[in-house]
């Protein structure tokens, strides 16, 4: 059968199936609000209490006052429930601190490497004397350090911290998790050394040589084991949606990495499709579910209200799981691959609008009338920014897959700008927010300089804004010039130069914000600064309850 | 939602569907292709040069996949016909690329066969292409007072050569240039055969032409 006909038939069957699923879910009442399931993240009595550990004790009050609604009698949360949370937090403190500390280190290294490669694109004779400093290597060091080093470590830290809380069970096998983290970071450090010295597997997102990849796989296995064991031994009946996102993401990334790195299996054009199946799924089935899951926990937690519609979040989860996995082929539109493959990926890219809208409607509903709380809570600001950027980047991605837009945007800096909108404006900002929320609980210490959090937010937000807008315009012009056969190729290079310079400006602001962030983190870990609420890690139970439950 | 088994099973099914669609089906479809008649395997020097290309990340700025006429003027720029799966049969890893900060290199060997040009361009791209933002690769060359026996001396444009000294290519530069000059996919591949129709008896198609039908359809 003709491939065009086949893909049309496939799309038709898929829509029909979707219609039936929709009718079924309406009949089962799945799209109605379900406050009970959405409220499991709160202890009894806790709903209505806004909470932001990143704020020092005396600044919590304005946030709580602003969040309080008329006619609600505030009463203290159930202490028994809070005890579970304290136990869970204590069991994860060491592993989470390790992951976040590694993440901070890779963030600084990776973003300096990123800024260097950005500068090299408009100053091509900068730092060319040594092989390890050449653009092709330093760019890849940037990618490996920020994707695997920063995002993956911060994501693992968030998962390990959240799951025991959500399951009301202390983390089991914490030592294995620590071992896994050590293996993964050994792998990342070796990979960066290897890439600097020119040893690479040579595919985008899959540069890590497979021999080094074995460390990373072993590390993930060491982490997945304890997570699944904790999940099976949980004390809650209902699994909150964050658990779904996070557990699935852990399983997905491990399998993705193993299949894509299998040595000696993939060659030629088929390797290219595997490459993009992996490359896009790292974003779609690892970074996205981790960050979306984190928003589903932190955002309601900070404002003290359950998410608007629990079932909408489940719909978002399953549509993401089934559509996102097949999106990667749009990176090969017009390439030497079967036509049905790119068509399938374009269709699935458009289907991605469903989970994105489900998420957006849900979050907008939850935040409705409470957006002003961002004035009081810096963590909330990161989460709201990240959530909004998820919608933007995902919608942009869906439309970018369309052939007419892809024709211009493909092979240009426009794609690079889009990738940063997803990985930075969405994922990284959410992770910043999560870290600001988690660390006071992990270290039993308040952030010493709360103003730095605000400063960091604005530097990062303005930096990525300049970066994204500048590079998108430059990339689009580059694409238009390349499609115009009357213009020589070099015109498409010349037109991008001012925008590449703007990218470096935005990038510098982002690096500055990271230096502030990591400096603040170090100050907190080393107990610098004015606010001191307790001793490190081995606090007495009384102080603990006070801090966690107030 | 109270069952962790449902969660794990559902997640695995979703990933399995994606893997079947983007990894297994393409594999089944392209595994039987053979190299087009005009395509020769890489020589060992070219393979060494390919390693240099990979190690220095050339793929991040250069594609090796000219697109079809209806997707862009790649052919008019002299980058060649749209590539087909058979063209990549010896490529491991694939170097299709995703970025055109620089031009497509699928047929650079045909466009620019001169070794002198390539060596000099790697030493200082801006001496040949004003406004180029390609990095220079001085670490692939030695600058000496005078050439020794067997040295390949660069013939640089005036102004680009260091005063009173000669620039000689290191082995990795020579290998890389061998690889680049070998990138020549100008041999013909047959136009796609409509499915179900027998190939014309007079000209038996090179194996692989049938699978290229789908590739062209995109």
């Amino acid at each position: 059968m003709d491939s065009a006909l086949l893909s049309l038939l496939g799309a038709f069957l898929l829509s029909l199936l979707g219609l039936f699923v929709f009718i079924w879910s309406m009949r089962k009442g799945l799209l109605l609000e379900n406050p009970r399931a959405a409220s499991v993240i709160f202890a009894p009595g806790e709903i209505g209490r806004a909470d932001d550990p990143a704020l020092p004790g005396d600044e919590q009050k304005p946030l709580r006052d602003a969040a309080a609604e008329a006619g609600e009698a505030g009463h203290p949360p159930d202490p028994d429930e809070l005890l579970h949370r304290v136990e869970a937090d204590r069991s994860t403190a060491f592993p989470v601190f390790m992951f976040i500390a590694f993440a901070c280190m890779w963030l600084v290294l990776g973003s300096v490497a990123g800024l260097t490669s950005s500068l090299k694109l408009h100053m091509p004779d900068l730092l060319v004397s040594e092989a390890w400093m050449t653009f092709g290597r330093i760019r890849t060091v940037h990618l490996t350090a920020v994707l695997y080093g920063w995002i993956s470590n911060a994501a693992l830290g968030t998962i390990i911290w959240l799951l025991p809380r959500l399951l009301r069970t202390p983390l089991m096998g914490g030592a294995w998790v620590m071992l896994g983290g050590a293996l993964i970071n050994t792998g990342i450090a070796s990979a960066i050394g290897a890439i600097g010295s020119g040893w690479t597997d040579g595919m985008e997102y899959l540069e890590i040589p497979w021999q080094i990849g074995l460390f990373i796989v072993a590390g993930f296995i060491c982490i997945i084991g304890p997570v699944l064991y904790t999940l099976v031994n949980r004390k809650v009946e209902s699994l909150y949606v964050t658990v779904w996102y996070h557990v699935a993401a852990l399983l997905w990334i491990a399998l993705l990495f193993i299949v894509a790195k299998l040595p000696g299996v993939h060659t030629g054009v088929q390797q290219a499709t595997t490459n993009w199946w992996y490359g896009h799924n790292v974003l779609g089935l690892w970074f996205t579910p981790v960050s979306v899951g984190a928003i589903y926990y932190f955002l309601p937690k900070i404002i003290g209200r359950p998410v608007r519609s629990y079932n909408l979040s489940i719909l978002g989860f399953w549509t993401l799981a089934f559509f996102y996995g097949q999106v990667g082929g749009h990176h090969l539109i017009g390439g030497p691959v079967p036509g049905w493959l790119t068509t399938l990926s374009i269709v699935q890219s458009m289907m991605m609008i469903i989970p994105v809208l489900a998420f957006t409607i849900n979050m907008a509903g939850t935040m409705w009338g409470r957006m002003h709380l961002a004035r009081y809570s810096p963590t909330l600001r990161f989460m709201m920014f990240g959530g909004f950027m998820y919608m933007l980047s995902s919608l942009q991605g869906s439309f970018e897959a369309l052939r007419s837009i892809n024709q211009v945007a493909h092979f240009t800096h426009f794609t690079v700008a889009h990738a940063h909108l997803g990985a930075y404006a969405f994922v990284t900002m959410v992770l910043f927010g999560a870290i600001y929320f988690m660390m006071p609980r992990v270290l039993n210490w308040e952030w010493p300089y709360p103003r730095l959090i605000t400063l960091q937010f604005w530097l990062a937000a303005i930096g990525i804004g300049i970066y994204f807008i500048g590079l998108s315009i430059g990339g689009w012009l580059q694409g238009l010039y390349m499609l115009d056969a009357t213009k020589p190729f070099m015109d498409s290079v010349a037109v991008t130069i001012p925008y590449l310079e703007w990218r470096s400006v935005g990038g510098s602001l982002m690096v500055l914000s990271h230096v502030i962030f990591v400096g603040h983190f170090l100050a907190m870990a080393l107990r610098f600064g004015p606010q001191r609420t307790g001793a490190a890690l081995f606090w007495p139970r009384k102080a603990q309850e006070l801090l966690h439950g107030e | 939602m109270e069952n962790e088994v449902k969660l794990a099973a559902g997640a695995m099914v979703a990933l399995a569907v994606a893997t079947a669609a983007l990894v297994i089906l393409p594999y089944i479809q392209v595994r039987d292709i053979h190299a087009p008649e005009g395509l020769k395997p890489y020589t060992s020097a070219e393979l060494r040069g390919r390693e240099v290309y990979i190690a220095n990340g050339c793929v991040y700025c250069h594609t090796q996949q000219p697109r079809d006429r209806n997707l862009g003027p790649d052919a008019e720029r002299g980058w060649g016909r749209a590539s087909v799966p058979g063209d990549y049969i010896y490529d491991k890893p694939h170097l299709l690329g995703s970025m055109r900060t620089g031009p497509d290199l699928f047929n650079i060997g045909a466009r620019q066969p001169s070794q002198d040009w390539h060596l000099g361009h790697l030493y200082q791209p801006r001496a040949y292409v004003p406004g180029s933002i390609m990095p220079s690769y001085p670490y692939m060359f030695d600058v000496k007072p005078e050439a020794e026996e067997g040295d390949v001396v660069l013939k640089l444009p005036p102004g680009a050569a260091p005063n009173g000294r000669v620039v000689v290519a290191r082995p990795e530069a020579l290998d890389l240039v061998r690889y680049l000059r070998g990138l020549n996919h100008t041999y013909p591949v047959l136009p796609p055969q409509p499915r179900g129709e027998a190939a014309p008896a007079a000209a038996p198609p090179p194996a692989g032409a049938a699978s290229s039908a789908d590739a062209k359809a995109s």
Side-chain angles (χ1 to χ4, degrees):
Chain A
M1 211 188 310
D2 191 14
S3 66
L5 211 64
L6 220 112
S7 45
L8 275 177
L9 192 69
F12 174 70
L13 286 176
L14 207 69
S15 335
L16 211 61
L17 190 73
L19 183 66
F20 280 122
V21 170
F22 178 70
I23 294 170
W24 172 79
S25 61
M26 292 290 277
R27 303 235 343 138
K28 298 270 280 185
L30 281 182
L31 293 179
L32 304 175
E33 283 181 44
N34 182 349
R36 195 182 60 82
S39 305
V40 292
I41 62 170
F42 298 102
E46 207 182 12
I47 291 178
R49 285 178 70 86
D51 187 19
D52 182 357
L55 287 171
D58 51 340
E59 284 180 37
Q60 296 267 8
K61 200 178 174 310
L63 172 68
R64 291 197 172 156
D65 290 346
E69 275 171 30
E72 253 183 3
H75 49 93
D78 178 13
D80 271 358
E81 293 273 342
L82 289 182
L83 204 64
H84 283 305
R85 198 182 291 163
V86 172
E87 293 282 336
D89 280 4
R90 193 150 55 154
S91 71
T92 55
F94 270 123
V96 171
F97 179 74
M98 177 191 69
F99 281 118
I100 304 303
F102 274 126
C104 287
M105 179 180 88
W106 295 123
L107 176 68
V108 171
L109 184 117
S111 47
V112 169
L115 182 59
T116 313
S117 26
S118 172
L119 290 171
K120 277 167 167 285
L121 274 177
H122 51 89
M123 296 186 227
D125 284 316
L126 176 80
L127 301 176
V128 289
S129 58
E130 299 290 332
W132 68 268
M133 294 190 289
T134 199
F135 174 81
R137 295 194 192 177
I138 211 94
R139 171 210 174 279
T140 312
V141 166
H142 160 67
L143 180 123
T144 308
V146 295
L147 290 195
Y148 293 95
W150 153 246
I151 298 185
S152 294
N153 269 307
L156 285 169
T158 311
I159 293 174
I160 294 299
W161 191 75
L162 278 181
L163 286 183
R165 266 193 161 214
L166 291 165
L167 303 172
R168 291 196 197 133
T169 314
L171 178 68
M172 299 183 183
W176 285 98
V177 173
M178 304 267 301
L179 175 68
L183 283 170
I184 288 176
N185 283 286
T186 309
I188 294 164
S190 321
I192 287 176
I195 289 161
S197 67
W199 178 27
T200 158
D201 275 4
M203 283 176 292
E204 269 182 271
Y205 297 95
L206 285 170
E207 287 90 354
I208 297 178
W210 67 266
Q211 295 88 338
I212 293 175
L214 290 175
F215 282 94
I216 296 180
V217 170
F220 267 105
I221 291 171
C222 288
I223 293 169
I224 289 174
V227 163
L228 291 184
Y229 193 65
T230 311
L231 178 68
V232 175
N233 287 300
R234 68 182 189 270
K235 296 198 188 92
V236 283
E237 199 186 331
S238 176
L239 293 178
Y240 188 61
V241 64
T242 304
V243 179
W244 290 71
Y245 277 108
H246 283 184
V247 172
L250 261 181
L251 297 176
W252 281 330
I253 184 61
L255 283 171
L256 282 169
F257 195 75
I258 290 170
V259 172
K261 292 254 71 150
L262 277 180
V265 176
H266 315 286
T267 53
V269 165
Q270 186 263 330
Q271 194 180 30
T273 62
T274 310
N275 188 178
W276 286 116
W277 163 82
Y278 176 82
H280 212 91
N281 283 351
V282 164
L283 241 116
L285 296 182
W286 172 227
F287 299 162
T288 304
V290 169
S291 310
V292 168
I295 295 178
Y296 267 114
Y297 178 81
F298 288 113
L299 212 137
K301 200 82 184 62
I302 294 169
I303 64 170
R305 304 277 156 188
V307 288
R308 187 98 183 103
S309 161
Y310 185 74
N311 291 310
L312 207 51
S313 62
I314 295 292
L315 172 85
F317 173 79
W318 286 116
T319 44
L320 180 95
F322 276 90
F323 299 145
Y324 220 145
Q326 301 163 50
V327 162
H330 72 235
H331 285 274
L332 292 163
I333 294 172
V337 293
W340 61 263
L341 191 145
T342 47
T343 306
L344 171 75
S345 284
I346 295 169
V347 172
Q348 299 294 30
S349 299
M350 291 315 281
M351 297 299 271
M352 271 305 293
I353 293 176
I354 297 173
V356 173
L357 283 189
F359 171 85
T360 308
I361 292 170
N362 212 352
M363 285 305 147
T366 310
M367 288 305 297
W368 203 251
R370 304 188 184 103
M371 307 239 182
H372 61 284
L373 297 182
R375 269 179 53 210
Y376 306 95
S377 164
T379 324
L380 184 60
R381 225 172 286 155
F382 279 100
M383 289 291 160
M384 282 170 64
F385 187 89
F388 185 62
M389 289 301 154
Y390 171 52
M391 182 192 77
L392 276 193
S393 65
S394 211
L395 289 182
Q396 188 195 19
S398 293
F399 286 100
E400 217 177 314
L402 294 176
R403 282 202 176 80
S404 51
I405 298 179
N406 190 276
Q407 195 177 6
V408 181
H410 202 33
F411 299 140
T412 70
H413 296 295
F414 190 86
T415 314
V416 182
H418 169 64
H420 282 79
L421 188 68
Y424 195 91
F426 162 40
V427 175
T428 296
M429 292 300 259
V430 169
L431 291 174
F432 280 144
I435 291 172
Y436 280 126
F437 190 99
M438 294 190 302
M439 289 325 283
R441 303 295 202 227
V442 168
L443 292 174
N444 202 26
W445 201 260
E446 287 174 355
W447 287 98
Y449 306 104
R451 277 165 192 276
L452 285 185
I453 302 180
T454 306
L455 177 66
Q456 197 240 329
F457 174 81
W458 287 111
L459 281 173
I462 294 169
I464 185 66
I466 294 174
Y467 183 112
F468 174 73
I469 294 170
L471 206 57
S472 292
I473 299 172
W476 192 258
L477 291 175
Q478 181 193 10
L480 290 179
Y481 276 46
M482 248 192 280
L483 285 181
D484 185 349
T486 60
K487 287 195 168 71
F489 177 80
M490 277 312 291
D491 283 9
S492 78
V493 176
V495 73
T496 58
I497 300 290
Y499 303 99
L500 292 175
E501 287 165 355
W502 274 110
R503 189 234 308 249
S504 294
V505 172
S508 310
L509 293 178
M510 285 146 77
V511 171
L512 185 63
S513 103
H514 301 161
V515 171
I516 291 171
F517 170 71
V518 173
H520 199 186
F521 174 80
L522 283 178
M524 183 182 191
L526 300 173
R527 306 292 189 231
F528 281 147
Q531 275 119 18
R532 289 152 202 276
T533 46
L537 295 175
F538 308 101
W539 54 84
R541 169 143 305 175
K542 185 107 173 98
Q544 233 174 68
E545 275 172 47
L546 220 73
L547 183 78
H548 289 264
E550 297 195 58
Chain B
M1 295 296 165
E2 278 144 31
N3 192 335
E4 65 270 15
V5 180
K6 263 191 222 163
L7 159 65
M12 289 306 104
V13 169
L15 186 62
V17 171
T19 313
L22 294 193
V23 177
I24 297 168
L25 278 181
Y27 170 72
I28 292 171
Q29 197 169 358
V30 300
R31 70 180 159 182
D32 294 329
I33 54 167
H34 299 283
E37 268 176 40
L39 181 66
K40 298 281 170 286
Y42 296 109
T43 65
S44 44
E46 283 172 353
L47 276 180
R48 286 198 304 274
R50 197 168 192 273
E51 290 304 317
V52 177
Y53 186 94
I54 293 166
N56 289 288
C58 305
V59 69
Y60 301 116
C61 291
H62 296 285
T63 52
Q64 291 191 21
Q65 46 162 327
R67 300 222 272 187
D68 199 72
R69 275 178 194 281
N70 59 24
L71 276 164
D74 290 10
E76 287 154 68
R77 293 200 188 281
W79 295 349
R81 61 169 169 79
S83 59
V84 297
D87 291 329
Y88 302 96
I89 198 115
Y90 302 116
D91 285 8
K92 200 185 161 188
H94 80 92
L95 295 172
L96 291 181
S98 62
M99 188 67 190
R100 282 179 177 167
T101 310
D104 191 277
L105 296 183
F106 202 52
N107 289 301
I108 185 67
R111 291 208 295 281
Q112 193 48 271
S114 152
Q115 175 180 309
D116 286 339
W117 186 91
H118 276 293
L119 285 174
H121 183 255
L122 285 171
Y123 181 72
Q124 180 46 273
R126 278 153 292 289
Y128 295 79
V129 184
S132 166
I133 56 171
M134 178 166 136
S136 45
Y137 293 92
Y139 59 85
M140 290 188 193
F141 300 88
D142 286 321
V143 180
K144 298 178 174 179
E146 56 193 64
E148 290 165 50
E149 181 80 24
D151 278 351
V152 177
V153 178
L154 264 63
K155 301 177 189 66
L156 291 163
N163 268 345
R165 291 151 75 87
V166 292
V167 181
V168 298
R170 288 192 189 171
E172 65 253 44
L174 292 170
D175 286 337
L176 176 57
V177 169
R178 277 193 201 102
Y179 169 65
L180 291 173
R181 291 172 70 205
L183 281 177
N184 184 344
H185 301 87
T186 49
Y187 51 81
V189 285
L190 286 187
Q193 297 288 332
R195 271 172 198 270
E197 277 180 40
S211 350
S212 69
D214 276 318
K216 293 299 272 280
S218 68

